[in-house]
C-alpha cells in the first residue's frame, strides 16, 4: 500500500512540486490543495476534462469543485489516511495541464 | 432581469421538476440542490461533461463538486440573490441527462 507521508517528506515534495507548477499547491486540512482561476467556464471545464482523464488513467481521483471560472482541488489518499506519493504524482500531472 | 422566486413558486416548480426527474431536487441553503451517484468516476464525469455543455449553452452555470462516483450540484442566481426560473431551466436540462 502507498504510505502516508510525514510532515518533512510532504514539505520536500511540496517544494519540488511548486518549483514546476505555474500556481502554488499547499497543504490545507490534511489535503494537497490548490485553487485556480481560468478566466471563464469553458477554460475551467476544459482543464477539468484533462484532469479527469489523467486521474482515471492513474486510478487516483481528486475531490474537486467548480464555480464558473474557478476550480478547487483537494488531493488525499483515503486508504492511507493522509497525503501519499499518489497525491503528489497526480498533482504533478495536474500542474502540467494548468 | 430574471426575478428571485418566492417560496410558493419554488414549491410549485420543485414539484413539477421532481415529477420528471429520476432523482429528487430539494432546496438547501437557499439553492436548488441534488446529490447523485453514478457508480464510478467515468460515469460521473461523463455526466458532468454533458451538464457543462448545457450550462454554457444556457449561459448559466452550476456550483458543483465531484468526489469519485458522486456529483453534488447547487443552482442559484447570484444576480437575483436567490433561486430563479433560470435555475429551474438548468435543473430540467440536467434531469434529462442524469
Amino acid at each position: 500500500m502507498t504510505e502516508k507521508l510525514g510532515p518533512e517528506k510532504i514539505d520536500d515534495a511540496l517544494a519540488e512540486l511548486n518549483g514546476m507548477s505555474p500556481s502554488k499547491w499547499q497543504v490545507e486540512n490534511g489535503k494537497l490543495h490548490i485553487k485556480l482561476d481560468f478566466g471563464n467556464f469553458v477554460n475551467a471545464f476544459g482543464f477539468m476534462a484533462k484532469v479527469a482523464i489523467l486521474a482515471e488513467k492513474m486510478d487516483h481521483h481528486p475531490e474537486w469543485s467548480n464555480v464558473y471560472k474557478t476550480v478547487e482541488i483537494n488531493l488525499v489518499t483515503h486508504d492511507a489516511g493522509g497525503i501519499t506519493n499518489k497525491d503528489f504524482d497526480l498533482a504533478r500531472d495536474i500542474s502540467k495541464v494548468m
Side-chain angles (χ1 to χ4, degrees), chain A:
Chain A
M1 195 180 86
T2 313
E3 274 178 35
K4 179 180 170 177
L5 298 174
E8 278 186 30
K9 287 198 174 169
I10 288 177
D11 282 350
D12 289 349
L14 202 55
E16 195 190 331
L17 174 64
N18 282 332
M20 61 150 285
S21 300
S23 299
K24 297 300 170 213
W25 292 87
Q26 52 187 315
V27 176
E28 204 176 284
N29 300 318
K31 299 173 183 179
L32 210 47
H33 172 85
I34 203 163
K35 183 173 180 175
L36 300 163
D37 185 321
F38 293 91
N40 62 48
F41 179 75
V42 170
N43 287 342
F45 197 80
F47 163 76
M48 291 179 78
K50 292 181 201 170
V51 172
I53 293 168
L54 296 171
E56 180 63 19
K57 196 172 164 186
M58 189 177 287
D59 196 22
H60 190 56
H61 303 84
E63 301 175 0
W64 52 352
S65 60
N66 158 244
V67 178
Y68 192 54
K69 64 180 182 170
T70 65
V71 178
E72 283 200 60
I73 303 177
N74 286 296
L75 304 179
V76 69
T77 307
H78 287 283
D79 293 349
I83 297 171
T84 68
N85 282 328
K86 287 169 80 173
D87 299 305
F88 279 102
D89 289 345
L90 181 53
R92 266 186 292 273
D93 273 8
I94 291 173
S95 290
K96 286 176 194 161
V97 296
M98 272 175 194

